[in-house]
Amino acid sequence: MADVTRIAVIGGDGIGPEVIAQAVKVLKATVAENAIETTSYDLGSQRYLRTGEILPDSVLAELAGHDAILLGAVGDPAVPSGILERGLVLRLRFEFDQYVNLRPIRLFPGVESPLAGLRTSALDMMVVREGTEGSYIEAGGTLRRGTPHEITMQENINTAFGVGRVTKYAFDRAASRPRKKLTLVHKTNVLSHAGDLWRRTLEATASGYPDVTAEYCHVDAALMYLVTQPQQFDVIVTDNLFGDVLTALGAVIAGGIGLAASASINPERSGPSTFEPVHGSAPDIAGMQEADPTAAILSAAMLCEHLGLTSEAARIEQAVADDLLERQGEWAARSTAEVGDDISERVVG
Ligand code: IPM
Ligand code: MN
């Protein structure tokens, strides 16, 4: 890593810029002065409506020169749904080969889950969602054509490349955690082509990790267990679309999307990784300082961890945990910027 960490900041639409401003504030309070350099990029609905541009190649090339990207959210009622999601969010994942989409699902002490009586210790998992393949490939621009058989074959190819890599990554993650347990979530009995590939890959990779317990769970059952017995999950590895659905439910049971962090990672660092809250642009409360910046701040902690700033990541997480513990009464009435200020102060100590 270069001496100065270069971070590209894309606030985006709606509440995106507000929450990302707090993430940047906390990063700057945590990381040694002059150690990071941020560059803001004007991308999202406003630029699209003004110029028709979503992610010009020249900007993509500039982004490639950064160590990481902090992304708020995109989406605006004036832009047809899907255009910015495909052209910006997914394009970044595809172009920078961010084949691991990492999403912790953890209940912090003091946070209330909608699951009655859920204890903090019962919800602590890491979802390793494949980030660049599966059903999302079509969204990247390759329209599938042909007979059902040909399309099925094409789908098989679509899930051929990332599976091995993301499975290996998930085993490494599981091996580094106390419980050392990995669950493959899929629908192998029905989606036989892609499903077989995932299952065979799990079995083949497992032999290299004798300490990790590897299991398989159907996706529909996994959603039920997530609500009825979430303690059985440690690390989950899953397909792109299943992971999208699973982590949305996970975010809610862990206290809401205001707290859910996410990272789209290129593990080899052949391109920058993107750190973004799971939530969307929430245009209804944009500009009102009502959004919770915690998910964006926790995503910044994941950024630090990815870049090897391990103690900085831990300090941000601890500051957030302390803040969450005290969120009662008037604490809930803070503005977006006040939450960012308070967490920054805690990081400084
Ligand atoms: C997410 C989002 C994206 C996805 C959209 C914006 C393309 O829902 O990051 O979870 O489907 O992955
Ligand atoms: Mn989603």
Side-chain angles (χ1 to χ4, degrees):
M1 199 175 70
D3 291 336
V4 176
T5 301
R6 302 187 63 218
I7 299 170
V9 180
I10 306 171
D13 299 329
I15 58 170
E18 291 164 65
V19 297
I20 286 300
Q22 307 316 311
V24 170
K25 186 191 282 177
V26 172
L27 266 180
K28 291 197 162 156
T30 311
V31 177
E33 219 183 322
N34 304 324
I36 57 169
E37 185 185 289
T38 56
T39 313
S40 289
Y41 285 88
D42 168 29
L43 296 169
S45 65
Q46 297 316 308
R47 178 158 182 177
Y48 175 70
L49 292 170
R50 213 170 55 235
T51 69
E53 293 170 322
I54 303 175
L55 179 55
D57 289 342
S58 58
V59 175
L60 191 75
E62 279 184 44
L63 294 175
H66 288 76
D67 296 297
I69 300 166
L70 251 185
L71 173 64
V74 295
D76 186 280
V79 179
S81 180
I83 292 187
L84 299 165
E85 290 87 341
R86 280 197 277 271
L88 184 56
V89 180
L90 296 181
R91 189 160 174 229
L92 290 174
R93 294 180 192 170
F94 294 141
E95 296 277 2
F96 294 137
D97 201 10
Q98 297 165 348
Y99 63 87
V100 170
N101 189 264
L102 207 55
R103 298 188 165 183
I105 298 176
R106 169 156 62 127
L107 186 63
F108 280 92
V111 174
E112 205 181 320
S113 167
L115 299 184
L118 184 69
R119 296 216 321 270
T120 298
S121 58
L123 190 63
D124 183 7
M125 69 185 80
M126 181 64 87
V127 178
V128 181
R129 166 189 173 191
E130 200 288 317
T132 55
E133 296 185 349
S135 333
Y136 281 72
I137 283 212
E138 189 175 49
T142 331
L143 266 183
R144 287 190 216 117
R145 290 182 209 289
T147 65
H149 175 72
E150 284 164 351
I151 292 171
T152 306
M153 294 308 290
Q154 178 66 39
E155 254 182 54
N156 199 18
I157 293 164
N158 285 348
T159 46
F161 196 58
V163 178
R165 298 190 298 172
V166 81
T167 302
K168 167 100 175 50
Y169 184 93
F171 267 102
D172 284 336
R173 274 271 158 182
S176 74
R177 290 164 65 95
R179 289 157 66 200
K180 302 194 193 317
K181 183 174 171 188
L182 177 63
T183 308
L184 166 63
V185 169
H186 208 283
K187 191 83 191 187
T188 55
N189 54 340
V190 176
L191 305 180
S192 52
H193 279 92
D196 277 358
L197 182 69
W198 276 95
R199 210 159 173 159
R200 279 186 281 118
T201 304
L202 184 82
E203 281 157 20
T205 315
S207 57
Y209 295 85
D211 294 346
V212 175
T213 309
E215 290 181 356
Y216 168 77
C217 187
H218 288 321
V219 63
D220 44 0
L223 289 172
M224 297 180 206
Y225 291 143
L226 198 55
V227 172
T228 56
Q229 36 180 290
Q231 64 276 12
Q232 70 161 279
F233 296 119
D234 180 16
V235 176
I236 286 178
V237 65
T238 192
D239 152 89
N240 203 347
L241 185 57
F242 293 152
D244 182 50
V245 176
L246 197 84
T247 56
L249 181 59
V252 170
I253 67 175
I257 48 171
L259 307 180
S262 168
S264 290
I265 290 181
N266 171 327
E268 288 75 33
R269 300 216 204 149
S270 58
S273 297
T274 303
F275 300 84
E276 50 181 322
V278 171
H279 65 68
S281 57
D284 52 326
I285 56 161
M288 294 163 78
Q289 286 286 310
E290 281 182 20
D292 188 344
T294 307
I297 293 169
L298 284 171
S299 301
M302 295 183 82
L303 180 154
C304 289
E305 201 199 318
H306 175 69
L307 294 178
L309 302 168
T310 321
S311 66
E312 287 83 351
R315 276 166 58 209
I316 296 177
E317 272 189 25
Q318 189 58 52
V320 168
D322 293 345
D323 189 85
L324 287 171
L325 201 56
E326 285 188 31
R327 281 190 194 187
Q328 275 141 45
E330 76 252 36
W331 279 86
R334 291 173 297 171
S335 69
T336 305
E338 282 167 350
V339 175
D341 288 341
D342 288 348
I343 293 176
S344 299
E345 271 174 35
R346 288 182 190 275
V347 156
V348 176

